[in-house]
Structures are given as structure tokens and as C-alpha cells.
Amino acid sequence: MGKGDMRDMDIEHVLRDHFETEASGLRAPRDPWVWLESRLEPTPSPRLLGRLIGMLRVPSYAVPGALAAVAMSVAAIVAVVGIWSVFMDTRYQSHVQSASGRDLQGAQGIMGLPGPQSVDYGGAEVTSPSGPPDAAGPEGPAGPQSRPAAQPPSTTFRDFERQPAVLASRDNVSTFSLDVDRTSYQLALNWARAGYQVEPDSVRAEEWVNAFDYGYAPPLNRDSFAITTDAFTHPLDSRKRMVRIAFQAPEASYPDRQLNVTLVLDASASMSTGNRVDIAREAAESIRRNLGRGDRIAVVHFTYEVIHDLTVEHSAPDDPNVSWSIDRLAPHDSTNVQAGLDLGVRLADQARRERPNAYNYIILMSDGVANVDATDPFAILESAGDRDSRNPLRLVTIGVGIENYNDYLLEQLAQHGNGWYRYLSTVEQARQTFSRDNWAALSSPFADQTRAQVTWNSEVVASWRIVGYENRVTPDETFTQARKEFAEIPSGAATTVFYELDLREGSQSDAGPLGDVELRWVTPSTGESNRQHATILGRRDIGFSALDDPLLKMGAIVALASDLYSSLPRAGYADVRRGLTLLGHELRLLEDRLGRLEAYRDFEFLLEHITRDLDDGSRPSGYSR
């Protein structure tokens, strides 16, 4: 611990306790300033510092001299506290640029306050705040809502522009890959917990929507999806309609399907920030612990090159060399993701050839800050590409950290590497994400190359717009092709998509079909291609307030709020704030029915956070592009 890592309040409590209980028994050292300076370097806790001061007791006959020495000690200590406070304020200013006031939660990651704790709802692992008892305020779990959010650290995102409305008379077909990621929502909630502004470019509306469990009914058949459709009046514009289409995969298990897992662990210097190494190590160890006897696991560490001394080729999960390698994860030098994945792919391909019936997962744990060799996701994938599509290697990316974090690289590696992307912010979250039950579901894919195509009835629908899915919308002609970037859907997972519609005049109250949806996927265990159809139905005249399903209403609010916020700064700040305010009102009307859910309270807090912090857009974002 350095001088800047101890809070002023800690120092104040130490001094107060000390002078209230022990002043009469103190003997000042010859040079109190030097003595106190020497105490700052070796990482003392406030309690330890109190004990060290308390060791300076003297006999009763020395009290008069000691009192004089106390006065000198007080002056010296006060001077140290003053300098310390200036140093802390300077250090804080370098991290947080805020015009007035500072949120305690905003200082959490900088000042070393207790970190967030994991909350699991519907499979979406998101952190909730912890810390001092007064950290939570009456207006939400993060405290008072009147203070401006701080500019977050540099993080790399890609701005995918919102999908425009399309005239159905010109093009009535919408094609997209399904999505089960939810990292964008987790990142936004964690930033809000820490008091940071949420960067609009970080918001992928589909990942916010798919972070929640909507309680869909399971499919009747274990070899197909359950497809649910709903239509209702748009909550922000009564002239428009919204349609929800949901795809629920069955709970399926493959007890005889063995796994080959290759862990690729980032051991670069950037992993030294915060507790990134601890999180990655716990995630890796949790995966190892929850593998079966017939599974195999390999470990690769990389910095500017692979650390060959720590490489373990595929072995049984209980091989002590595997645990030994995971335990030695530590930060070193630069980041060469390409080198790590190149070796990981070679090891995984070798294991695939030796065990052709096993599923093959390459799991990259990193902050994504690649700065050696290839740093573009497509160049990295080209270098480490999988050339065998019959039993693909599934590239899973696990992101850790907030500061200096590359969301774009990790998200694109997973999307185009036939895998999925998760974000972990605590050790406990890592443990829960890869618990036995969660890992069993995540490593049991029900469908590969999963995509949907919606064909709108152009006699009823005047125009349509998909909400989110900007980087998952694909040309219509690709729908018949099995492509890697089309999603892998784990057992029991659900995907939800919302559309905004303008209906033709006279069609607003008709109950007929709005269109059709077709789903295509590949069965992972056999390579068989599958198709499924459904008709898009729903009462077009039902008002939003009249909907009886509170989870459907919450999903629509999540979709529209994230979509609106992601439109900044192109959209007007006043218009976005007005829309978010109205959505916040609709969300609060659901409190009686959903307020008991942690998911509801978390989103209510996040929506208030992004609404409150909107201004005229004059502040720079502080993000790299």
C-alpha cells in the first residue's frame, strides 16, 4: 500500500481513537515525521497502525515529558494528514474528472473500497454493490442520484450504428444471427455501480434484452425450439406497434459427449490491474474442477510470447500439472493474443484428432488489450483459424477488468470463432459462472450456426425496424448457409428480439398474421441441418398498459431504453432523456409485481443512472474508438 491507498476517513478514525484512549501513555520518537513516513511504505492497515502507535507507552513518572512530546506528535501527524489529503485529491482528480461532488461508489475502484458482489438472475451474472453501510442511499443501491457520473477509464468499443426503419414494400425480409451474450449489460451495470458514465458505444441492445429471464415455456419437443410471438402498442408512440419474437431452446444433456478444453490465459502486464489475475485464475480453476473424468484440459500462458514452461498439453482434469500451471498465472510483459491463440488452436486441433467425438472449447481469459503482432480480431482469427468445420473449435472469450479493456476484440473473437462471450468482475462471479450446473449447460450446445429470418406481411406492415442486433444482422442470402458467426445456443438458453412496426392504415386492429419467422440451425452432435417455422401473431390493438405479462413489459422497456441510449450522440440528448424518463415511469409501475426481483432493482438503478447523467453532450467520452 502506498500513501495514496489509505482513505482520509481511515486516518481520521485512527487518530481519533488514538488520542481518546492512549494520549496519556505516549512517548514521542525523536523524529516523529521520519517515523510516520517510514510507516507509510510497508502496507499497514488502519488497525495495525493504531497498534504501532499504541506501542509507544511510557511509565507514569514520564507523563509530563510525554505530554510535551504528544503536542509535537500531533503537529507532525496533522501535517502528514494534510499532505496526504492533498496527495489523495490529486490522485483522485487524475482518475475522476467531475465538476462538483464525488460519489462514494464512483471512488470504489480507485480508493480500494470493498468490491461488488455477484448476483445471478436468469443466468445473467451481474454485480451488486457492497461497501460501507452508508454506500446505499434512499434513491437506489448506489446512493444519491444527484451527483454527476465520472468519466470512465479508457476502454475500446466499436460503434455499430442503429438499424434504420425499412419500407416493407421495398424489403420485407429481416435476417439475423441469434444471440445469447449479455456482456454489454454487465459492463454497463458495473460502470454504473462504480459511478462511471456508461459509454453509448458500449451498448448492444440485444445483450441488454438477453440478460434477463422472461420465463418462456419450454418446447414441446426436445429436438426443436419453442417460438413465442407477441404484438402490442408501442409505449412511446401509440401510432406504432412492437413485436416480440422469442426462441427458447430445450434443456438437453449429452452425458456421453466428452470435452476437450484448452485454457489460454493472459499473463501480460495489463492483467496486474485490480484483481484480474485472481478472477481469471478462479474461473480457470472452476472449469477444471467441474470437468468429468473423461474430459481433457490443456493450459497456455502468454505475454509477448507463450510462456512454454507453464504450458500443459491435454491431460486429465485431476493431473497435478494442470492445477500447478493455473496457480502460477501472474502478470509479466506485453500482450500477444495471437501467439496464445495460435498455440491454443494447435493443441485443441491435436486433441480433436485424437478424440474426434469430443466437443472442443478454447477459452481465452483476457482484458483483450493486444499490442504485439496481430491486434485485429479478424487477423488473429485468420492466423489461428480452425480449418475443420465438421467438429468446430469453439472459441469462448472471458473478459476481466474495466480499465484499459478491449470489448470489441473479445466480442468479435467469440462471435466469429463459433463461441460466446462473458464478462466477469469478481472472483465470486467467476466461481458461479463456471459452477457445475452452469458449466454443464454452457458446454452442452443444443444448436450451432443458429439464425432467424422474419418475413413481414407487406399488406399489413408499412415499415419495420429491428431493435439492436446491429452487428448480427446479415444479408438475406446468407440465411441458407451454415456460417461460423451464426450463434451457438447452449442447452436451455433463450434469445429475444423486438421489432418496431408501422402498420398500414386500417390494419391497426386486425388480428391476422403480421408475418412469418423461420429458424435454421445445425445439430452439434450430428451435423444435421434443421428448419422450423412459426407465424407471427398477436393483438395489434392491445395497449402497452393493458399487457398482463410484467416480464414482457420489462423486456420492451429494456429494449427501447438501451436502443435509445445507444443512439447517442447522433440523436438529440433532450429527446433521448425524454424517452428514458417516460420508460422509467413505465418501469416503476411494475414495481408491485417485479420489485422483489434483483433483476428489476438492478435495471431500475441503471436506467436512473443513464437518464440522470444525460447533458448537452459537450463532455468528451474519454474512450478510444
Side-chain angles (χ1 to χ4, degrees):
M1 180 184 297
K3 299 178 187 178
D5 292 329
M6 192 173 178
R7 299 177 297 173
D8 291 351
M9 67 179 70
D10 294 329
I11 304 168
E12 180 182 345
H13 292 160
V14 170
L15 293 176
R16 183 185 299 115
D17 294 342
H18 163 56
F19 288 116
E20 285 179 354
T21 61
E22 302 190 54
S24 63
L26 285 181
R27 172 170 49 85
R30 291 183 178 179
D31 191 340
W33 183 277
V34 173
W35 184 87
L36 282 170
E37 282 287 297
S38 70
R39 296 300 102 192
L40 298 179
E41 301 303 330
T43 320
S45 68
R47 188 173 299 171
L48 176 60
L49 188 56
R51 289 201 299 268
L52 290 171
I53 295 175
M55 292 171 63
L56 300 175
R57 289 193 172 93
V58 295
S60 59
Y61 63 80
V63 169
L67 290 176
V70 165
M72 182 173 65
S73 300
V74 171
I77 292 172
V78 170
V80 171
V81 172
I83 293 173
W84 203 334
S85 298
V86 173
F87 182 81
M88 289 286 288
D89 188 62
T90 302
R91 185 170 183 265
Y92 189 89
Q93 289 283 1
S94 69
H95 288 81
V96 182
Q97 299 175 2
S98 181
S100 63
R102 290 172 177 80
D103 196 81
L104 179 61
Q105 290 289 331
Q108 177 172 305
I110 299 167
M111 300 299 200
L113 300 185
Q117 300 299 312
S118 176
V119 174
D120 184 357
Y121 53 97
E125 307 82 20
V126 183
T127 59
S128 286
S130 65
D134 60 347
E139 300 181 62
Q145 301 296 305
S146 59
R147 295 173 179 173
Q151 291 289 341
S154 176
T155 306
T156 303
F157 299 105
R158 178 62 58 91
D159 180 13
F160 295 100
E161 295 185 24
R162 295 167 83 209
Q163 290 294 313
V166 179
L167 291 176
S169 58
R170 296 183 180 179
D171 180 4
N172 66 334
V173 178
S174 171
T175 305
F176 62 95
S177 167
L178 269 61
D179 177 62
V180 294
D181 291 343
R182 68 286 305 264
T183 287
S184 172
Y185 179 77
Q186 295 166 346
L187 282 168
L189 186 53
N190 287 334
W191 277 322
R193 296 291 188 213
Y196 292 139
Q197 291 178 4
V198 175
E199 164 62 26
D201 286 356
S202 76
V203 176
R204 294 183 288 273
E206 69 276 10
E207 295 185 24
W208 285 44
V209 170
N210 288 317
F212 297 88
D213 181 356
Y214 301 102
Y216 299 127
L220 298 177
N221 300 314
R222 296 179 65 85
D223 60 352
S224 61
F225 288 81
I227 302 178
T228 302
T229 65
D230 304 273
F232 49 90
T233 301
H234 198 295
L236 297 180
D237 187 347
S238 60
R239 298 168 299 178
K240 294 180 180 291
R241 300 295 183 270
M242 290 192 74
V243 166
R244 178 183 72 172
I245 308 174
F247 309 93
Q248 174 68 58
E251 295 286 350
S253 60
Y254 302 89
D256 298 328
R257 193 77 175 199
Q258 297 174 338
L259 301 178
N260 297 326
V261 175
T262 306
L263 300 176
V264 180
L265 307 180
D266 187 344
S268 64
S270 60
M271 291 288 287
S272 63
T273 304
N275 60 344
R276 298 184 190 195
V277 166
D278 293 337
I279 294 170
R281 189 187 293 123
E282 180 58 38
E285 179 60 20
S286 295
I287 291 171
R288 184 201 67 79
R289 274 197 310 267
N290 292 310
L291 289 175
R293 292 182 180 178
D295 299 331
R296 294 293 179 265
I297 184 171
V299 186
V300 174
H301 297 240
F302 69 90
T303 66
Y304 66 91
E305 62 182 2
V306 171
I307 306 176
H308 292 286
D309 291 344
L310 298 179
T311 298
V312 178
E313 297 189 3
H314 283 87
S315 309
D318 59 358
D319 186 325
N321 288 325
V322 177
S323 296
W324 173 86
S325 178
I326 292 172
D327 190 55
R328 276 152 184 76
L329 177 62
H332 294 81
D333 295 302
S334 303
T335 311
N336 190 338
V337 173
Q338 179 184 347
L341 282 181
D342 281 351
L343 179 56
V345 167
R346 288 200 297 273
L347 294 178
D349 184 55
Q350 177 181 331
R352 175 172 54 183
R353 283 185 273 108
E354 294 173 355
R355 290 153 45 93
N357 293 322
Y359 286 133
N360 299 278
Y361 284 94
I362 301 172
I363 303 179
L364 170 66
M365 298 188 190
S366 175
D367 54 22
V369 185
N371 51 27
V372 176
D373 285 349
T375 59
D376 175 82
F378 300 104
I380 292 172
L381 287 170
E382 179 64 26
S383 170
D386 177 19
R387 314 302 177 193
D388 187 349
S389 60
R390 293 169 297 177
N391 182 12
L393 304 180
R394 307 169 190 276
L395 176 55
V396 174
T397 56
I398 307 298
V400 293
I402 291 180
E403 296 183 21
N404 200 24
Y405 179 81
N406 193 331
D407 170 79
Y408 172 67
L409 176 68
L410 296 175
E411 194 267 339
Q412 289 291 289
L413 285 175
Q415 180 177 338
H416 294 273
N418 205 62
W420 36 267
Y421 173 32
R422 292 290 186 275
Y423 170 76
L424 304 175
S425 63
T426 68
V427 170
E428 179 59 27
Q429 196 177 73
R431 191 176 297 121
Q432 290 187 5
T433 300
F434 294 107
S435 65
R436 185 173 300 276
D437 290 342
N438 282 355
W439 173 239
L442 290 170
S443 60
S444 300
F446 169 72
D448 272 343
Q449 286 84 51
T450 317
R451 63 272 191 198
Q453 188 168 79
V454 175
T455 303
W456 297 107
N457 181 353
S458 57
E459 295 181 357
V460 175
V461 177
S463 67
W464 57 271
R465 191 179 82 87
I466 189 171
V467 178
Y469 288 84
E470 283 83 2
N471 67 333
R472 297 182 181 274
V473 168
T474 64
D476 296 336
E477 60 269 20
T478 65
F479 182 63
T480 59
Q481 306 167 9
R483 299 162 67 104
K484 269 189 177 181
E485 61 266 31
F486 294 146
E488 172 188 308
I489 305 298
S491 166
T495 294
T496 302
V497 59
F498 284 90
Y499 283 88
E500 293 178 327
L501 303 181
D502 281 307
L503 301 183
R504 292 193 178 278
E505 193 167 341
S507 302
Q508 283 81 1
S509 60
D510 192 350
L514 290 165
D516 298 289
V517 58
E518 181 179 349
L519 198 60
R520 292 198 181 200
W521 73 95
V522 172
T523 302
S525 56
T526 64
E528 177 187 3
S529 294
N530 304 274
R531 300 171 66 177
Q532 188 174 345
H533 288 83
T535 301
I536 301 173
L537 298 171
R539 285 184 55 188
R540 307 173 205 167
D541 59 344
I542 188 168
F544 186 76
S545 60
L547 290 174
D548 190 48
D549 183 350
L551 291 173
L552 168 59
K553 297 175 78 170
M554 181 173 169
I557 294 169
V558 171
L560 292 174
S562 54
D563 182 59
L564 270 174
Y565 192 77
S566 71
S567 69
L568 296 171
R570 292 181 179 85
Y573 280 76
D575 290 340
V576 172
R577 184 181 178 91
R578 188 180 306 112
L580 294 180
T581 300
L582 291 172
L583 292 171
H585 172 72
E586 292 289 348
L587 184 68
R588 286 188 291 275
L589 294 177
L590 302 176
E591 186 168 4
D592 287 345
R593 301 180 69 180
L594 299 181
R596 71 189 185 280
L597 298 177
E598 194 77 24
Y600 173 87
R601 296 195 298 273
D602 281 347
F603 179 67
E604 181 183 38
F605 158 68
L606 179 56
L607 182 54
E608 290 178 355
H609 179 85
I610 62 176
T611 303
R612 179 188 73 246
D613 199 57
L614 287 180
D615 55 13
D616 62 1
S618 60
R619 283 184 290 176
S621 72
Y623 283 85
S624 58
R625 294 294 180 185

